[in-house]
Amino acid sequence: MKRTIITTALVAASIASAANITVDPTATAQKVIGFGAGAAYYQSWIAAMSSSMLKDFYDTAFTGLNLSFLRIGNWKQDDTTSIVADAAIIKAGRERLGNRFKIEMSSWSAPGRLKPSGSVNGSVNGQKVKSQNMLKTSNSDPYGKFVYSEFAHWWKTSLQAYEKMGITPDYISLQNEPDMEADYEETLFDPNEGEIAGYKQALQAVRDSIKTLANPPKIIGPEPLGIGYSNFEKYVKALDNNNLDGYAYHLYHAGDGNDNSGTNYLNPENFRKAMTNIAKNYGSDTKPIIMTEFCTMENEVREQDMLGLAHIMQVGFTSGKLNAYIAWELFWGEPNGQLIGVCPGNGWSSCTEAKLYINPEYHAMRHYSKFVNPGWRVVSSTADGSNVYAVAFRSADCDSITVVAINKGSAQNLNLSVNGYAPISAVQSTENGAKSKSITASAIIDAPAKSITTVVFTTSNTAALQCEDSPIEDPYIDPSSQIGDSLVIVDYANESSAGTWSSDASLGKVTFETTPLDGISKYVKVPLADCAQDECGYQHALFTIPDAAAVKDPLTKCKELVFTMRSINTDDASVNIGGAGGSTWSNYQYGNNAPAGAWDQVSVPLDNEIDSTGAPFGSTQLSFNSDNAGIYIAKIVATGCGTHAIKGMNTNFAANDMNAEAKVFDLNGNLLWSGIKGQAFNADGTIRLDLNKGLYIVKTKASTMKAVK
């Protein structure tokens, strides 16, 4: 064993550049409802996309983020145009995310006929007059001096119209920013009735009106512009608390003079005091606090806003006791959308081509939404490093913990301690660098300067914890990548870097290439030995499979890997390909031919990923070696992944509880079957039930198993 002498000065330097993050899985706080974003404008731009671009958008927006909330507007005025557009978007979200996908609906304005101005907009003929932008007065309304009953009836008929289009909101807010005098759609409400209509009276009227619906939504509010100057509290204190099912606010001002959104985005600690004050007096699992809208209000995309959003959410879920966070823009027309910029094609405003722009804040949201499901709880976490902020979440059934760590300072090590849990997967995003990049999961993580790191931990020892039933799969694994005959492991047409490649020291670095080559414009160049193996030995280039813990199982259930590749020079390359990263190196197939001068799809069997005893090698990497100079790779796909029986995905199948009661759920939490486990399972872990291809959850009192057909 090689011994390394570390000087005292070096030890001191190492200590100075480390941050300790400690998580207590037993100290639980509020329950998470979810993460989301708004789809309030530009729906017509989505509808104008080509079918292939539309699929890419929906996959990116919904599956890519694992969203659990979409915020829409109540635009039911005199036509249904926006309803049709919203219905298509929501349908696509539900197809990808199922029942975990919730809808929050806010009204921007009452119909113009209910306002003195006659217009939904706050500015009429270039002027904003407060008395014109409230509800009309009434001499006969039972709720007060304004047309509250007509406003409530409009809300009820709007919900009925949306329901006919397949949209049934889970939550509604009767007025977006009732305190905001705007040029665009608005209706003003004071906390209580006075010179203008009162939010208190309008809320009571809407509550009474919609309670006659078959499935009335929950009402949240008061959704003011910001939380500074006790603005939220002024509204809530005026209300009958029984009329609210939850609390909602925006973050466009924080108080203490901190009113600039762009500045607050980069200094989220400005929100901590006001959020803490609200959390002390309001919010619970039965009456959640939801942040329903915030953005920078800047006209340009800023790289630093990625860390800004992640830090704002950290403040919210720790000090603010938020149950959900909904960003302002899931998408926006032109490149500068908060999460996604949308250009249907040339000629749409400033767009020059049909393109989706995945902006930095998309990745900040993904660090939370992709790895934390509805029903999880915030758990206690502390971070002692300089400019390091952390928040942790525990799954309902206690088997998973997700830690999000924001490093706003210089590069440093993150030492993560989660008692009783082991790290299984991790992703990292760096300002002006790689985004949502899979990294090796460890209790010690190298965090670059200005980066976000999410680490998922798991345990099987949950007996001592206060757990709840959770039929949703934890941590979330994208069903589209797990179900069906094939699985795309990497397609460089959708990447922007070489990602997770590494090589033996004697080989050149794997590089990401963008020079078009026979119809393929993005690929990686993988240098290999360029030397006979009996002279220079085996020299390996290693590709770490993204989200290795989640994706490696298909290597045991798929039949082969298909590589789109070619030689980098004028000679065909004979390439040995195998699996690595498990207990040993596994040879898949020697002598695979990567042709010179043309791309080819090279099939490599996965038979050797299972050893002679039937156990998986557990490969998390793919290994390449050759005496050729190297290869180009454009795509790696696993095929033949469908089977005729459902097999438990846990490697240690529990056969000692075959007489226990068991339940089988789909990914939406729907119970499909219940009975004695032995009636459904064979002793080898295959399941006898007649089910469609797909991913399922099998639960007994003693264990939870993932099952796939």
Side-chain angles (χ1 to χ4, degrees):
M1 178 183 292
K2 181 179 179 181
R3 300 182 64 186
T4 302
I5 299 175
I6 303 177
T7 66
T8 302
L10 184 57
V11 171
S14 299
I15 294 173
S17 61
N20 298 306
I21 297 174
T22 304
V23 177
D24 182 356
T26 67
T28 58
Q30 77 274 18
K31 182 177 288 189
V32 173
I33 299 176
F35 306 89
Y41 295 100
Y42 288 96
Q43 296 97 320
S44 62
W45 291 48
I46 305 302
M49 292 178 180
S50 66
S51 58
S52 61
M53 186 180 181
L54 192 62
K55 181 182 182 301
D56 288 344
F57 168 75
Y58 287 144
D59 289 344
T60 301
F62 296 129
T63 309
L65 285 173
N66 182 35
L67 284 188
S68 36
F69 259 116
L70 186 71
R71 181 175 183 244
I72 64 172
N74 178 1
W75 305 116
K76 180 64 179 71
Q77 303 291 341
D78 298 319
D79 62 73
T80 58
T81 302
S82 293
I83 297 182
V84 172
D86 285 339
I89 293 169
I90 290 169
K91 180 176 182 290
R94 292 226 186 272
E95 287 174 346
R96 287 159 175 78
L97 298 167
N99 292 336
R100 78 178 68 207
F101 187 56
K102 306 298 183 186
I103 304 301
E104 191 277 320
M105 175 186 284
S106 296
S107 167
W108 266 250
S109 175
R113 58 183 167 80
L114 299 183
K115 298 167 62 177
S117 67
S119 172
V120 296
N121 293 324
S123 177
V124 181
N125 297 323
Q127 294 185 340
K128 291 186 289 185
V129 181
K130 187 173 184 180
S131 62
Q132 294 293 301
N133 290 309
M134 59 180 185
L135 294 181
K136 287 180 177 179
T137 57
S138 172
N139 294 322
S140 59
D141 195 284
Y143 294 96
K145 298 185 299 183
F146 299 87
V147 291
Y148 301 113
S149 295
E150 291 184 61
F151 178 69
H153 180 71
W154 167 71
W155 253 111
K156 179 179 178 179
T157 56
S158 293
L159 291 170
Q160 291 170 330
Y162 274 92
E163 184 177 14
K164 289 180 180 178
M165 298 299 296
I167 301 173
T168 53
D170 300 277
Y171 299 86
I172 65 169
S173 167
L174 62 92
Q175 179 58 49
N176 171 71
E177 298 172 352
D179 55 334
M180 172 63 175
E181 295 188 56
D183 292 320
Y184 47 82
E185 299 94 340
E186 70 157 21
T187 302
L188 299 172
F189 292 91
D190 278 346
N192 208 339
E193 183 180 85
E195 293 184 2
I196 71 170
Y199 191 96
K200 174 183 179 179
Q201 289 77 15
L203 176 61
Q204 183 68 63
V206 172
R207 168 70 74 181
D208 290 345
S209 180
I210 69 170
K211 69 182 181 182
T212 60
L213 296 172
N215 295 295
K218 295 179 179 180
I219 302 179
I220 59 175
E223 212 176 14
L225 180 67
I227 57 175
Y229 317 106
S230 300
N231 204 39
F232 169 86
E233 290 89 338
K234 290 174 185 175
Y235 277 87
V236 177
K237 288 177 180 178
L239 308 178
D240 180 347
N241 194 47
N242 293 324
N243 286 332
L244 280 180
D245 300 302
Y247 305 97
Y249 57 66
H250 298 173
L251 292 174
Y252 291 105
H253 58 72
D256 298 329
N258 299 311
D259 294 340
N260 182 279
S261 298
T263 300
N264 287 341
Y265 229 78
L266 305 183
N267 297 277
E269 292 300 312
N270 290 346
F271 295 111
R272 199 176 290 274
K273 178 181 176 181
M275 280 188 166
T276 300
N277 290 336
I278 293 172
K280 285 180 180 178
N281 299 300
Y282 303 97
S284 66
D285 288 346
T286 55
K287 285 198 172 183
I289 303 175
I290 305 176
M291 204 303 295
T292 53
E293 180 186 322
F294 187 41
C295 69
T296 66
M297 297 298 292
E298 300 287 327
N299 292 325
E300 301 295 332
V301 173
R302 305 184 302 184
E303 268 286 320
Q304 60 265 45
D305 290 331
M306 180 182 72
L307 266 70
L309 176 55
H311 189 182
I312 292 165
M313 294 173 72
Q314 187 274 340
V315 173
F317 283 99
T318 54
S319 296
K321 305 300 180 187
L322 290 181
N323 300 87
Y325 189 102
I326 303 176
W328 166 223
E329 304 164 5
L330 174 59
F331 57 86
W332 199 254
E334 303 181 322
N336 60 339
Q338 184 181 12
L339 303 189
I340 303 173
V342 174
C343 278
N346 189 11
W348 284 77
S349 189
S350 64
C351 296
T352 58
E353 60 178 322
K355 185 176 180 180
L356 300 177
Y357 295 84
I358 312 306
N359 291 324
E361 289 182 65
Y362 173 96
H363 299 280
M365 176 60 72
R366 189 178 187 275
H367 272 273
Y368 289 85
S369 60
K370 189 71 174 179
F371 306 100
V372 180
N373 275 326
W376 289 39
R377 286 191 179 274
V378 177
V379 291
S380 173
S381 60
T382 59
D384 66 3
S386 175
N387 292 310
V388 173
Y389 304 89
V391 58
F393 306 85
R394 192 188 77 182
S395 63
D397 49 13
C398 305
D399 65 352
S400 300
I401 293 236
T402 291
V403 181
V404 181
I406 303 107
N407 177 21
K408 301 187 82 170
S410 58
Q412 55 190 306
N413 288 332
L414 304 179
N415 300 321
L416 297 104
S417 175
V418 185
N419 187 33
Y421 289 73
I424 62 161
S425 64
V427 296
Q428 197 169 71
S429 298
T430 304
E431 187 176 305
N432 296 308
K435 306 290 193 293
S436 295
K437 175 185 177 182
S438 296
I439 60 173
T440 301
S442 173
I444 301 176
I445 296 287
D446 178 17
K450 298 185 178 181
S451 62
I452 312 168
T453 304
T454 294
V455 185
V456 178
F457 295 77
T458 62
T459 186
S460 58
N461 183 21
T462 61
L465 301 171
Q466 297 297 315
C467 305
E468 306 166 54
D469 186 46
S470 176
I472 296 176
E473 178 196 10
D474 298 317
Y476 176 80
I477 301 174
D478 173 11
S480 69
S481 69
Q482 298 295 308
I483 298 171
D485 187 66
S486 63
L487 163 68
V488 177
I489 292 178
V490 66
D491 182 354
Y492 286 103
N494 301 320
E495 302 294 329
S496 58
S497 71
T500 57
W501 284 89
S502 61
S503 300
D504 288 350
S506 55
L507 297 179
K509 183 179 180 181
V510 176
T511 57
F512 182 75
E513 305 291 331
T514 58
T515 301
L517 186 60
D518 293 338
I520 293 180
S521 59
K522 294 182 180 180
Y523 46 92
V524 289
K525 180 180 180 181
V526 184
L528 295 172
D530 198 22
C531 161
Q533 289 165 350
D534 58 356
E535 297 177 4
C536 56
Y538 287 85
Q539 300 177 43
H540 300 273
L542 294 172
F543 171 76
T544 299
I545 300 170
D547 296 322
V551 176
K552 68 181 180 183
D553 282 328
L555 297 183
T556 66
K557 68 182 182 65
C558 300
K559 292 182 179 180
E560 61 185 12
L561 292 172
V562 178
F563 299 84
T564 302
M565 64 182 187
R566 62 185 288 170
S567 174
I568 67 173
N569 58 24
T570 56
D571 298 318
D572 290 356
S574 178
V575 186
N576 303 326
I577 300 177
S583 58
T584 184
W585 183 84
S586 173
N587 160 44
Y588 290 162
Q589 184 168 275
Y590 291 114
N592 300 284
N593 186 60
W599 292 98
D600 196 12
Q601 292 188 338
V602 179
S603 298
V604 177
L606 284 167
D607 297 342
N608 291 340
E609 184 60 24
I610 304 294
D611 68 15
S612 59
T613 68
F617 278 99
S619 297
T620 58
Q621 295 177 310
L622 302 177
S623 176
F624 304 79
N625 68 76
S626 174
D627 59 3
N628 189 271
I631 54 176
Y632 296 123
I633 295 179
K635 191 173 184 179
I636 305 174
V637 179
T639 64
C641 304
T643 63
H644 298 293
I646 294 179
K647 297 184 178 181
M649 293 175 70
N650 289 355
T651 55
N652 296 318
F653 175 73
N656 59 354
D657 61 348
M658 297 296 279
N659 293 321
E661 293 184 0
K663 296 180 179 180
V664 177
F665 300 87
D666 65 18
L667 288 184
N668 298 327
N670 299 313
L671 179 63
L672 304 179
W673 177 89
S674 63
I676 302 302
K677 184 175 179 180
Q679 296 173 339
F681 275 95
N682 298 310
D684 64 355
T686 59
I687 201 169
R688 297 198 289 260
L689 298 178
D690 183 17
L691 296 173
N692 295 326
K693 286 185 178 182
L695 196 63
Y696 300 90
I697 305 299
V698 181
K699 299 176 79 69
T700 67
K701 187 175 182 180
S703 66
T704 298
M705 299 185 63
K706 302 167 186 175
V708 67
K709 184 174 183 178

